[in-house]
């Protein structure tokens, strides 16, 4: 086994253990391999080990990889901050966008998604950490944004996504993830049919799964530590 294949195996085992501990079926959690900053060859290696869904934070890098690996038929998820001048690329090169945090972005994605492609699957990113984080819509504004996004053509609102502040405090992480779940449950009680909670990364996928994650986004535990000199997310 290659290193990436071995690490993927370990991550899948962690997901199985966490779902079992939560009394959930293992198939209820999908693994999104976050390949940002890693080369096409690393993605190919993971794909050979059976991984199908990949997450990218930087628009051009993700578009280039998806293009280079087109023949593998992989699934591409955009998970980074999205600026309006990059929405056209994202709308057509990706299958999912996890980081919708304002209506203008959703409107542009809806208008720019090629009519010959299936609807773009989207999640609304929620700021579950209050002052401690800047990205995502405030919990109190989620319902309004969800209503507006769900009304747009060419998009399919699938659920909610969050990135809690980095912390070693497991109880705090559990509370952040529980907040996202309760927001999803409230929306569904109000008539939405949201099936996705995108939450949990390399260091916190267990508490996320305990609180109902359906997609975990894992980079470091699969591909290794990213170089510190990697560009900071801008678009
Ligand atoms: C980088 C990133 C991840 C993966 O983080 P790891 O700690 O490397 O697993 C997940 N989600 C988002 C939004 C990211 O930017």
């Amino acid at each position: 086994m290659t290193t990436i294949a071995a690490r993927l195996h370990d991550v899948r085992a962690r997901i199985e253990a966490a779902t079992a501990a939560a009394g959930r079926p293992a198939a209820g959690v999908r693994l999104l391999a976050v390949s940002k900053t890693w080369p096409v060859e690393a993605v190919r290696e993971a794909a050979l080990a059976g991984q199908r869904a990949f997450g990218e934070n930087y628009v051009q890098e993700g578009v280039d990889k998806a293009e280079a690996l087109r023949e593998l038929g992989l699934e591409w998820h955009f998970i980074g901050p999205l600026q309006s001048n990059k929405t056209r690329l994202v709308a057509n090169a990706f299958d999912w966008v996890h980081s919708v945090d304002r209506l203008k972005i959703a409107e542009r994605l809806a208008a720019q998604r090629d009519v010959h492609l299936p609807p773009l699957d989207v999640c609304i990113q929620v700021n579950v950490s209050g002052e401690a984080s800047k990205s995502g819509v405030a919990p109190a504004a989620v319902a309004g944004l969800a209503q507006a996004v769900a009304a747009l053509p060419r998009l399919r609102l699938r659920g909610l996504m969050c990135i809690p502040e980095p912390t070693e405090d497991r109880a705090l992480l559990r509370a952040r993830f529980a907040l996202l779940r309760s927001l999803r449950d409230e929306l569904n009680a109000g008539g939405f049919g949201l099936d996705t909670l995108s939450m949990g990364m390399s260091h916190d996928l267990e508490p996320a799964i305990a609180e109902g994650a359906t997609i975990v986004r894992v980079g470091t535990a699969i591909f290794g530590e990213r170089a510190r000199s990697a560009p900071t997310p801008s678009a």
Side-chain angles (χ1 to χ4, degrees):
M1 263 202 281
T2 66
T3 308
I4 287 175
R7 287 185 177 141
L8 262 173
H9 180 87
D10 291 346
V11 170
R12 291 190 191 118
R14 282 175 63 190
I15 292 171
E16 269 171 41
T19 50
R24 302 180 52 199
V29 179
R30 289 191 72 200
L31 173 59
L32 182 65
V34 177
S35 46
K36 66 182 177 202
T37 79
W38 296 103
V40 164
E41 296 74 57
V43 176
R44 192 187 294 279
E45 211 173 303
L48 281 172
Q51 180 63 30
R52 306 305 304 167
F54 292 86
E56 290 283 337
N57 281 57
Y58 312 108
V59 176
Q60 195 59 52
E61 181 190 335
V63 169
D64 290 347
K65 280 182 215 171
E67 183 60 36
L69 295 168
R70 186 191 287 280
E71 85 281 2
L72 296 183
L74 302 174
E75 189 179 297
W76 293 93
H77 295 230
F78 188 77
I79 61 173
L82 184 49
Q83 292 168 349
S84 42
N85 62 347
K86 298 281 178 67
T87 50
R88 185 177 298 280
L89 279 170
V90 169
N92 294 299
F94 288 85
D95 303 290
W96 283 69
V97 176
H98 292 227
S99 45
V100 170
D101 63 355
R102 54 198 194 277
L103 184 57
K104 183 185 174 195
I105 292 291
E107 286 173 341
R108 290 179 66 91
L109 291 170
Q112 293 167 343
R113 176 76 167 174
D114 189 318
V115 294
H116 302 295
L117 292 173
L120 183 65
D121 287 309
V122 301
C123 291
I124 290 174
Q125 183 174 352
V126 182
N127 178 358
V128 293
S129 305
E131 295 287 291
S133 163
K134 295 185 299 292
S135 52
V137 65
V142 170
L145 182 56
Q147 205 81 50
V149 171
L152 293 171
R154 318 290 318 134
L155 304 184
R156 195 158 49 196
L157 180 60
R158 297 292 299 268
L160 305 178
M161 178 271 226
C162 73
I163 312 171
E165 71 271 46
T167 174
E168 297 300 317
D169 183 342
R170 304 300 269 187
L172 182 63
L173 281 171
R174 282 285 292 253
R176 301 307 194 205
F177 295 135
L179 171 59
L180 199 72
R181 184 184 41 152
S182 73
L183 289 167
R184 192 269 321 260
D185 291 347
E186 278 170 36
L187 290 172
N188 283 351
F192 286 87
L194 305 182
D195 61 9
T196 300
L197 285 176
S198 169
M199 57 189 197
M201 315 197 298
S202 292
H203 67 288
D204 59 7
L205 68 87
E206 284 85 2
I209 288 172
E211 293 296 345
T214 65
I215 298 180
V216 291
R217 310 177 310 265
V218 179
T220 307
I222 296 170
F223 296 105
E225 292 287 341
R226 288 177 294 275
R228 288 200 174 276
S229 58
T232 50
S234 62

